[in-house]
């Protein structure tokens, strides 16, 4: 990914100053000369910065007076409704596969121009060239990686780097606590199979990542959907309440940081409380840590695993969203189920292919990785902000959205009894793919919600697509 151009970085900086009220509506933006001096940039960069902010509706140009901060065009959306702490409905066998398959099949009938359905970044956000060079180096150093058998737990070099890179999330692991998997999906599969079996009840967030519901369905397990908030994630109170009524919960699965689809981050106190509650009740906690690194700032978020003192938390993670969607690399640290997971992995799929692991270890071990991550976060923050602004501008009155502080997706609640399925069909006809809310639950509670990806660069064409989507939403 190229560095975000300087003018975009400056535009983000001033947009934050405007959002925070440091530059109030009606006040004068620093002159072009002041911007040049203050940030040591050229006239053209200063001008581009102001034009960019003008295009996004933050500034207006007044003849012979310069740029001024505009009155907000429209108030931001109200946050999505908070769920009540209520008793969860009884656990059910999941019937999501058919729904998801039919949605994907419908999607295939039309050519997709704007894929806002995938929780993934655009290809150009990821470091293809650096990974290519690292792969060539790895192969040159040791061509026998292609012909000798792969280490069962994965490359030691990669596991060492992952253990080191997990430290800022307050996870302390040795490399031998880690097993490399085929994405986080395989890690979740292994975790669930290690602690539960067909017929068992698994507590999950509601709404939740549909891939998790698909796994539960494939394993013949039942999902107990626990109310979850876009502000603070799973309601630990609702989980406790559910456990008093349904006494057979065999595991809890959560995405504590930038939950899919809500974008929620659990406060540290809730993470600690959840870990303690699971431990006290002898219920394994499976943590899916797919998005933690994609926050708006460089300040790392703590994993739930940070509070684990007894090995009761199984930590599953992915490099798919943060580094390389094409490589399908993930990992698991299974605590007290480590041996069981290692056996299951061996029985299920044997070891992962090694060359790409060596390449990733090389790149992730370098300072270039940190610089790349910073650029990725900045680009995603910019894209998220533009998508949030587009929803506020183009979607019908009463649309709700809680701006997430990171991640790749937005959860949007349409007003009234709008049908996300109908919107999905109509948007597909316009070449715009979205993820309808019904994919994220066994119930029909989220039928008027949609999930939108922020993975695409916010171009003029995408802006037009968002305007179209907003008009369609008003008719559904
Ligand atoms: C919460 C969550 N977990 C797991 C996955 C799948 O991860 P992977 O692609 O690494 O298998 C996704 C992908 O969207 C996800 O959103």
């Amino acid at each position: 990914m190229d560095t975000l151009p300087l003018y975009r970085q400056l535009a983000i900086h001033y947009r934050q100053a405007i959002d925070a009220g440091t530059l109030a509506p009606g006040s004068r933006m620093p002159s072009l000369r002041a911007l040049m001096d203050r940030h040591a940039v050229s006239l053209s960069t200063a001008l581009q910065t102001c034009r960019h902010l003008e295009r996004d509706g933050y500034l207006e140009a007044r003849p012979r007076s310069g740029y001024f901060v505009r009155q907000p065009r429209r108030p931001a959306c109200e946050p999505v409704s908070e769920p009540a702490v209520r008793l969860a409905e009884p656990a059910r066998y999941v019937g999501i596969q058919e729904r998801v398959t039919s949605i994907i099949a419908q999607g295939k009938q039309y050519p997709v121009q704007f894929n806002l359905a995938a929780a993934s970044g655009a290809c150009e956000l990821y470091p293809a060239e650096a990974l290519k060079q690292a792969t060539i180096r790895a192969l040159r150093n040791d061509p026998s990686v292609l012909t000798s058998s792969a280490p069962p737990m994965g490359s030691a070099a990669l596991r060492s780097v992952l253990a080191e890179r997990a430290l800022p999330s307050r996870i302390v692991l040795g490399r031998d606590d880690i097993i490399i998997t085929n994405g986080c999906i395989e890690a979740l599969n292994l975790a669930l199979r290690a602690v539960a079996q067909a017929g068992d009840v698994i507590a999950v967030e509601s709404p939740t990542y549909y891939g998790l519901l698909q796994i539960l369905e494939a394993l013949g397990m039942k999902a107990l959907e626990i109310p979850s908030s876009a502000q603070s994630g799973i309601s630990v109170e609702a989980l406790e309440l559910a456990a008093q009524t349904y006494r057979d919960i065999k595991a809890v699965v959560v995405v504590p940081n930038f939950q899919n689809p809500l974008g929620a981050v659990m406060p540290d106190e809730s993470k600690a409380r959840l870990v303690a509650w699971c431990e006290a009740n002898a219920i394994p906690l499976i943590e899916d840590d797919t998005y933690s690194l994609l926050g708006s700032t460089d300040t790392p978020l703590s994993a739930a695993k940070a509070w684990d003192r007894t090995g009761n938390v199984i930590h599953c993670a992915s490099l798919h969203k943060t580094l390389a969607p094409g490589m399908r690399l993930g990992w698991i640290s299974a605590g007290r189920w480590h041996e069981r997971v290692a056996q299951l992995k061996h029985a299920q799929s044997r070891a992962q292919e090694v060359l790409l692991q060596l390449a990733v270890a090389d790149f992730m071990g370098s300072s270039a990785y940190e610089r790349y991550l910073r650029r990725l976060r900045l680009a995603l923050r910019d894209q998220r902000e533009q998508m949030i602004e587009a929803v506020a501008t183009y979607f019908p009155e009463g649309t709700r959205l809680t701006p997430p502080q990171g991640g790749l997706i937005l959860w949007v609640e349409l007003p009234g009894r709008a049908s996300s399925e109908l919107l999905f069909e109509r948007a597909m006809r316009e070449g715009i793919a979205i993820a309808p809310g019904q994919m994220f639950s066994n119930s029909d509670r989220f039928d008027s919600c949609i999930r939108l990806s922020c993975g695409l660069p916010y171009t003029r064409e995408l802006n037009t697509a968002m305007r179209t989507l907003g008009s369609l939403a008003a008719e559904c």
Side-chain angles (χ1 to χ4, degrees):
M1 185 189 74
D2 291 325
T3 312
L4 212 54
L6 206 48
Y7 79 91
R8 297 278 297 275
Q9 297 182 32
L10 281 180
I12 290 174
H13 175 74
Y14 281 98
R15 207 154 70 201
Q16 283 171 340
I18 294 169
D19 285 340
T22 317
L23 281 173
S27 64
R28 180 196 277 274
M29 174 75 179
S31 68
L32 295 178
R33 166 61 54 199
L35 290 177
M36 289 163 65
D37 291 346
R38 200 181 285 177
H39 302 286
V41 295
S42 65
L43 174 62
S44 128
T45 301
L47 194 59
Q48 268 182 308
T49 303
C50 291
R51 288 198 176 137
H52 194 73
L53 287 164
E54 186 185 15
R55 190 205 75 180
D56 288 353
Y58 280 84
L59 296 183
E60 61 188 344
R62 294 189 194 156
R64 288 184 298 280
S65 309
Y67 284 94
F68 286 77
V69 178
R70 276 183 63 157
Q71 297 297 334
R73 271 181 299 186
R74 190 177 147 169
C77 293
E78 289 289 315
V80 301
S81 343
E82 283 293 287
V85 177
R86 54 173 171 73
L87 183 59
E89 284 159 23
R92 282 202 246 165
Y93 282 106
V94 178
I96 204 83
Q97 188 64 31
E98 219 172 287
R99 259 189 208 188
V100 172
T101 312
S102 116
I103 288 169
I104 292 171
Q106 281 182 60
K108 286 197 174 132
Q109 291 172 20
Y110 305 95
V112 175
Q113 227 184 318
F114 299 96
N115 188 351
L116 302 179
S120 181
C123 177
E124 60 266 32
L125 290 175
Y126 297 105
E129 183 55 31
L131 289 171
K132 179 182 119 188
Q133 295 303 337
T135 310
I136 293 169
R137 265 196 308 276
L139 196 53
R140 220 180 260 142
N141 284 346
D142 183 8
S144 75
V145 290
L146 297 178
T147 48
S148 44
S149 56
M153 309 236 286
S155 138
L158 178 58
R159 288 184 287 118
S160 295
V161 172
L162 290 172
E164 199 184 315
R165 293 285 181 196
L167 284 173
S169 310
R170 299 180 43 219
I171 311 177
V172 182
L173 297 174
R175 74 172 186 205
D176 292 340
D177 299 321
I178 292 176
I179 300 174
I180 306 296
T181 58
N182 182 11
C184 188
I185 280 286
E186 188 184 34
L188 290 170
N189 261 286
L190 293 168
L192 282 162
R193 289 176 59 211
V195 300
Q197 50 192 321
D200 282 347
V201 171
I202 311 296
V204 301
E205 295 146 324
S206 186
T208 192
Y209 166 50
Y210 68 83
L212 173 61
L213 295 175
Q214 288 178 302
I215 298 175
L216 293 179
E217 182 169 341
L219 296 178
M221 296 175 185
K222 292 188 236 175
L224 179 64
E225 296 193 26
I226 307 296
S228 301
S229 140
Q231 311 265 10
S232 52
I234 194 166
S235 160
V236 183
E237 288 91 339
L239 176 63
E240 290 170 355
L241 189 63
Q244 285 161 17
T245 309
Y246 312 115
R247 299 196 159 270
D248 52 355
I249 299 175
K250 281 291 186 315
V252 177
V253 185
V254 287
V255 184
N257 296 325
F258 308 128
Q259 195 260 7
N260 180 1
L262 292 170
V265 174
M266 286 176 76
D268 280 355
E269 312 80 72
S270 304
K271 289 175 190 159
R273 183 170 160 192
L274 178 63
V275 172
W277 182 85
C278 285
E279 177 57 36
N281 289 278
I283 298 175
L285 177 61
I286 300 173
E287 168 177 44
D288 175 339
D289 193 27
T290 293
Y291 297 100
S292 288
L293 291 178
L294 302 182
S296 290
T297 65
D298 290 343
T299 316
L301 292 170
S302 298
K305 183 83 179 158
W307 284 270
D308 184 21
R309 301 284 168 267
T310 60
N312 193 49
V313 178
I314 303 184
H315 185 86
C316 302
S318 172
L319 304 183
H320 177 166
K321 317 287 177 177
T322 47
L323 185 64
M327 286 190 175
R328 299 285 325 134
L329 285 173
W331 58 277
I332 183 167
S333 176
R336 67 169 82 120
W337 290 275
H338 179 78
E339 288 306 323
R340 176 77 185 132
V341 164
Q343 285 163 9
L344 286 169
K345 166 76 178 148
H346 182 71
Q348 177 168 297
S349 54
R350 301 293 198 267
Q352 298 293 119
E353 172 284 325
V354 183
L355 175 59
L356 297 181
Q357 293 182 50
L358 292 174
V360 168
D362 175 336
F363 182 63
M364 281 186 76
S366 71
S367 55
Y369 171 68
E370 277 147 39
R371 290 195 298 278
Y372 149 74
L373 257 190
R374 212 161 287 137
R375 290 196 300 269
L376 177 69
R377 288 195 191 109
L378 209 56
L380 288 179
R381 181 173 68 185
D382 190 25
Q383 289 171 197
R384 261 194 323 273
E385 287 179 359
Q386 310 222 45
M387 288 291 286
I388 291 169
E389 171 79 19
V391 171
T393 307
Y394 299 129
F395 275 53
E397 205 68 51
T399 297
R400 289 170 170 264
L401 182 161
T402 304
Q405 299 305 306
L408 283 159
I409 47 185
L410 299 181
W411 183 244
V412 180
E413 208 176 275
L414 302 171
R417 301 174 71 83
S419 159
S420 65
E421 201 181 351
L422 192 58
L423 178 57
F424 166 77
E425 282 169 25
R426 295 197 175 157
M428 280 308 310
R429 283 172 217 264
E430 303 292 331
I432 306 167
I434 59 168
Q438 57 180 179
M439 295 173 80
F440 301 92
S441 168
N442 235 353
S443 75
D444 53 10
R445 206 169 298 122
F446 304 103
D447 285 3
S448 57
C449 297
I450 57 171
R451 192 193 71 180
L452 296 177
S453 167
C454 305
L456 302 180
Y458 200 84
T459 57
R460 203 176 291 274
E461 293 75 21
L462 179 55
N463 186 53
T464 308
M466 285 299 288
R467 190 182 301 137
T468 306
L469 194 59
S471 320
L472 293 174
E475 296 159 9
C476 291

Short mmCIF file of all heavy atoms in Angstrom, two decimals, residues 96 204-213 216 223 225-226 228 253-255 259-262 411 437 439-442 446 451:
data_model
loop_
_atom_site.label_atom_id
_atom_site.label_comp_id
_atom_site.label_asym_id
_atom_site.label_seq_id
_atom_site.Cartn_x
_atom_site.Cartn_y
_atom_site.Cartn_z
N ILE A 96 -28.62 -21.37 9.52
CA ILE A 96 -28.18 -20.18 8.80
C ILE A 96 -27.62 -20.52 7.42
O ILE A 96 -27.62 -19.72 6.51
CB ILE A 96 -27.10 -19.44 9.63
CG1 ILE A 96 -27.03 -17.96 9.26
CG2 ILE A 96 -25.73 -20.06 9.50
CD1 ILE A 96 -28.02 -17.13 9.94
N VAL A 204 -23.33 -17.25 22.20
CA VAL A 204 -22.68 -16.36 21.23
C VAL A 204 -23.29 -14.97 21.35
O VAL A 204 -24.38 -14.81 21.90
CB VAL A 204 -22.84 -16.87 19.77
CG1 VAL A 204 -22.26 -18.25 19.60
CG2 VAL A 204 -24.31 -16.87 19.33
N GLU A 205 -22.60 -13.98 20.81
CA GLU A 205 -23.16 -12.63 20.79
C GLU A 205 -24.32 -12.59 19.80
O GLU A 205 -24.39 -13.40 18.88
CB GLU A 205 -22.08 -11.64 20.32
CG GLU A 205 -20.90 -11.53 21.28
CD GLU A 205 -19.57 -11.29 20.57
OE1 GLU A 205 -19.36 -11.84 19.47
OE2 GLU A 205 -18.75 -10.56 21.14
N SER A 206 -25.21 -11.64 20.00
CA SER A 206 -26.31 -11.50 19.04
C SER A 206 -26.48 -10.02 18.71
O SER A 206 -26.74 -9.23 19.62
CB SER A 206 -27.60 -12.03 19.65
OG SER A 206 -28.62 -12.01 18.70
N PRO A 207 -26.28 -9.58 17.48
CA PRO A 207 -25.93 -10.38 16.31
C PRO A 207 -24.48 -10.85 16.36
O PRO A 207 -23.68 -10.28 17.10
CB PRO A 207 -26.12 -9.38 15.15
CG PRO A 207 -25.81 -8.03 15.76
CD PRO A 207 -26.33 -8.12 17.16
N THR A 208 -24.20 -11.86 15.55
CA THR A 208 -22.82 -12.39 15.52
C THR A 208 -22.37 -12.67 14.09
O THR A 208 -23.18 -12.65 13.16
CB THR A 208 -22.72 -13.68 16.37
OG1 THR A 208 -21.34 -14.01 16.54
CG2 THR A 208 -23.40 -14.88 15.70
N TYR A 209 -21.07 -12.91 13.96
CA TYR A 209 -20.47 -13.21 12.66
C TYR A 209 -21.12 -14.47 12.08
O TYR A 209 -21.13 -15.51 12.75
CB TYR A 209 -18.97 -13.39 12.87
CG TYR A 209 -18.21 -14.01 11.74
CD1 TYR A 209 -18.36 -13.53 10.44
CD2 TYR A 209 -17.34 -15.06 11.96
CE1 TYR A 209 -17.64 -14.10 9.39
CE2 TYR A 209 -16.61 -15.63 10.92
CZ TYR A 209 -16.78 -15.15 9.64
OH TYR A 209 -16.09 -15.71 8.62
N TYR A 210 -21.63 -14.37 10.86
CA TYR A 210 -22.39 -15.51 10.34
C TYR A 210 -21.51 -16.74 10.15
O TYR A 210 -22.01 -17.88 10.20
CB TYR A 210 -23.13 -15.14 9.04
CG TYR A 210 -22.24 -14.86 7.86
CD1 TYR A 210 -21.74 -15.90 7.08
CD2 TYR A 210 -21.89 -13.57 7.51
CE1 TYR A 210 -20.92 -15.65 6.00
CE2 TYR A 210 -21.07 -13.31 6.44
CZ TYR A 210 -20.57 -14.35 5.68
OH TYR A 210 -19.76 -14.10 4.64
N GLY A 211 -20.20 -16.54 9.96
CA GLY A 211 -19.28 -17.68 9.81
C GLY A 211 -19.30 -18.56 11.06
O GLY A 211 -19.20 -19.78 10.97
N LEU A 212 -19.45 -17.92 12.22
CA LEU A 212 -19.52 -18.69 13.46
C LEU A 212 -20.80 -19.52 13.50
O LEU A 212 -20.79 -20.70 13.89
CB LEU A 212 -19.45 -17.75 14.67
CG LEU A 212 -19.67 -18.39 16.03
CD1 LEU A 212 -18.59 -19.45 16.33
CD2 LEU A 212 -19.69 -17.35 17.14
N LEU A 213 -21.90 -18.91 13.05
CA LEU A 213 -23.17 -19.67 13.01
C LEU A 213 -23.05 -20.84 12.03
O LEU A 213 -23.58 -21.93 12.27
CB LEU A 213 -24.32 -18.73 12.62
CG LEU A 213 -24.63 -17.63 13.65
CD1 LEU A 213 -25.70 -16.68 13.13
CD2 LEU A 213 -25.07 -18.23 14.98
N LEU A 216 -21.19 -23.61 13.82
CA LEU A 216 -22.05 -24.30 14.80
C LEU A 216 -23.00 -25.23 14.08
O LEU A 216 -23.25 -26.36 14.51
CB LEU A 216 -22.82 -23.27 15.64
CG LEU A 216 -21.97 -22.40 16.58
CD1 LEU A 216 -22.84 -21.42 17.34
CD2 LEU A 216 -21.17 -23.26 17.55
N ALA A 223 -26.98 -22.63 19.13
CA ALA A 223 -26.53 -21.28 19.49
C ALA A 223 -27.49 -20.66 20.48
O ALA A 223 -28.70 -20.65 20.26
CB ALA A 223 -26.45 -20.41 18.24
N GLU A 225 -28.22 -17.13 21.76
CA GLU A 225 -27.85 -15.77 21.35
C GLU A 225 -28.01 -14.79 22.52
O GLU A 225 -29.12 -14.57 22.99
CB GLU A 225 -28.70 -15.34 20.15
CG GLU A 225 -28.45 -16.18 18.92
CD GLU A 225 -29.03 -15.58 17.65
OE1 GLU A 225 -29.18 -14.34 17.57
OE2 GLU A 225 -29.33 -16.36 16.73
N ILE A 226 -26.92 -14.22 22.94
CA ILE A 226 -26.91 -13.31 24.10
C ILE A 226 -26.94 -11.85 23.59
O ILE A 226 -26.10 -11.48 22.76
CB ILE A 226 -25.63 -13.53 24.95
CG1 ILE A 226 -25.47 -15.01 25.32
CG2 ILE A 226 -25.64 -12.63 26.17
CD1 ILE A 226 -26.55 -15.58 26.20
N SER A 228 -26.26 -8.21 22.69
CA SER A 228 -24.96 -7.53 22.66
C SER A 228 -25.16 -6.10 22.19
O SER A 228 -26.03 -5.83 21.37
CB SER A 228 -24.01 -8.27 21.72
OG SER A 228 -23.86 -9.60 22.17
N VAL A 253 -18.49 -17.90 23.02
CA VAL A 253 -17.60 -17.38 21.97
C VAL A 253 -17.85 -15.87 21.84
O VAL A 253 -19.00 -15.45 21.66
CB VAL A 253 -17.88 -18.04 20.59
CG1 VAL A 253 -16.86 -17.57 19.56
CG2 VAL A 253 -17.87 -19.55 20.70
N VAL A 254 -16.78 -15.08 21.93
CA VAL A 254 -16.94 -13.63 21.77
C VAL A 254 -15.85 -13.04 20.90
O VAL A 254 -14.76 -13.61 20.77
CB VAL A 254 -16.87 -12.87 23.13
CG1 VAL A 254 -18.11 -13.09 23.97
CG2 VAL A 254 -15.61 -13.22 23.90
N VAL A 255 -16.18 -11.89 20.29
CA VAL A 255 -15.19 -11.07 19.58
C VAL A 255 -15.09 -9.79 20.40
O VAL A 255 -15.87 -8.86 20.20
CB VAL A 255 -15.65 -10.76 18.13
CG1 VAL A 255 -14.58 -9.99 17.37
CG2 VAL A 255 -16.02 -12.04 17.40
N GLN A 259 -16.22 -6.01 17.27
CA GLN A 259 -17.04 -7.19 17.02
C GLN A 259 -17.67 -7.11 15.63
O GLN A 259 -18.00 -6.02 15.14
CB GLN A 259 -18.14 -7.24 18.11
CG GLN A 259 -18.85 -8.57 18.22
CD GLN A 259 -20.20 -8.58 17.53
OE1 GLN A 259 -20.57 -7.62 16.85
NE2 GLN A 259 -20.95 -9.64 17.70
N ASN A 260 -17.80 -8.26 15.02
CA ASN A 260 -18.47 -8.36 13.71
C ASN A 260 -19.86 -8.92 13.96
O ASN A 260 -19.98 -10.01 14.49
CB ASN A 260 -17.66 -9.33 12.82
CG ASN A 260 -18.28 -9.51 11.45
OD1 ASN A 260 -19.30 -8.92 11.13
ND2 ASN A 260 -17.66 -10.35 10.64
N PRO A 261 -20.96 -8.20 13.67
CA PRO A 261 -21.03 -7.00 12.84
C PRO A 261 -21.15 -5.67 13.59
O PRO A 261 -21.20 -4.63 12.93
CB PRO A 261 -22.35 -7.23 12.08
CG PRO A 261 -23.23 -7.89 13.10
CD PRO A 261 -22.31 -8.79 13.90
N LEU A 262 -21.19 -5.66 14.94
CA LEU A 262 -21.54 -4.40 15.62
C LEU A 262 -20.40 -3.38 15.68
O LEU A 262 -20.64 -2.19 15.85
CB LEU A 262 -21.99 -4.70 17.07
CG LEU A 262 -23.32 -5.46 17.21
CD1 LEU A 262 -23.52 -5.91 18.65
CD2 LEU A 262 -24.48 -4.56 16.78
N TRP A 411 -22.38 -1.13 11.15
CA TRP A 411 -23.68 -1.79 11.37
C TRP A 411 -24.73 -0.69 11.33
O TRP A 411 -24.68 0.25 12.12
CB TRP A 411 -23.67 -2.50 12.71
CG TRP A 411 -24.90 -3.28 13.07
CD1 TRP A 411 -25.74 -3.03 14.11
CD2 TRP A 411 -25.39 -4.48 12.45
NE1 TRP A 411 -26.72 -4.00 14.16
CE2 TRP A 411 -26.53 -4.90 13.16
CE3 TRP A 411 -24.97 -5.24 11.35
CZ2 TRP A 411 -27.27 -6.04 12.81
CZ3 TRP A 411 -25.70 -6.37 11.02
CH2 TRP A 411 -26.82 -6.76 11.73
N GLY A 437 -29.04 -7.93 7.45
CA GLY A 437 -28.96 -8.25 8.88
C GLY A 437 -29.33 -9.67 9.22
O GLY A 437 -28.83 -10.23 10.21
N MET A 439 -28.40 -12.32 8.12
CA MET A 439 -27.30 -13.29 8.10
C MET A 439 -26.63 -13.45 9.47
O MET A 439 -25.85 -14.38 9.68
CB MET A 439 -26.19 -12.83 7.13
CG MET A 439 -26.60 -12.79 5.68
SD MET A 439 -25.31 -12.05 4.66
CE MET A 439 -24.19 -13.41 4.46
N PHE A 440 -26.92 -12.51 10.38
CA PHE A 440 -26.12 -12.45 11.60
C PHE A 440 -26.83 -12.98 12.84
O PHE A 440 -26.40 -12.74 13.96
CB PHE A 440 -25.65 -11.00 11.82
CG PHE A 440 -24.83 -10.49 10.65
CD1 PHE A 440 -25.44 -9.81 9.60
CD2 PHE A 440 -23.48 -10.76 10.58
CE1 PHE A 440 -24.70 -9.39 8.52
CE2 PHE A 440 -22.73 -10.34 9.50
CZ PHE A 440 -23.34 -9.65 8.46
N SER A 441 -27.94 -13.67 12.60
CA SER A 441 -28.69 -14.22 13.73
C SER A 441 -29.59 -15.34 13.23
O SER A 441 -29.98 -15.36 12.06
CB SER A 441 -29.54 -13.10 14.34
OG SER A 441 -30.47 -13.62 15.24
N ASN A 442 -29.95 -16.21 14.16
CA ASN A 442 -30.92 -17.26 13.86
C ASN A 442 -32.34 -16.69 13.90
O ASN A 442 -33.26 -17.29 13.37
CB ASN A 442 -30.81 -18.29 14.98
CG ASN A 442 -30.55 -19.65 14.44
OD1 ASN A 442 -30.56 -19.87 13.24
ND2 ASN A 442 -30.32 -20.59 15.33
N PHE A 446 -32.87 -8.84 13.39
CA PHE A 446 -32.00 -7.84 12.74
C PHE A 446 -32.37 -7.65 11.26
O PHE A 446 -31.54 -7.22 10.46
CB PHE A 446 -30.53 -8.24 12.91
CG PHE A 446 -30.17 -8.41 14.36
CD1 PHE A 446 -30.04 -9.68 14.91
CD2 PHE A 446 -30.04 -7.31 15.18
CE1 PHE A 446 -29.76 -9.84 16.26
CE2 PHE A 446 -29.75 -7.46 16.54
CZ PHE A 446 -29.62 -8.73 17.07
N ARG A 451 -25.06 -4.63 7.18
CA ARG A 451 -23.64 -4.42 7.48
C ARG A 451 -22.95 -3.92 6.21
O ARG A 451 -23.12 -4.49 5.14
CB ARG A 451 -22.98 -5.74 7.93
CG ARG A 451 -21.60 -5.54 8.52
CD ARG A 451 -20.86 -6.85 8.67
NE ARG A 451 -20.45 -7.39 7.38
CZ ARG A 451 -19.78 -8.54 7.22
NH1 ARG A 451 -19.48 -9.26 8.26
NH2 ARG A 451 -19.43 -8.97 6.02
#
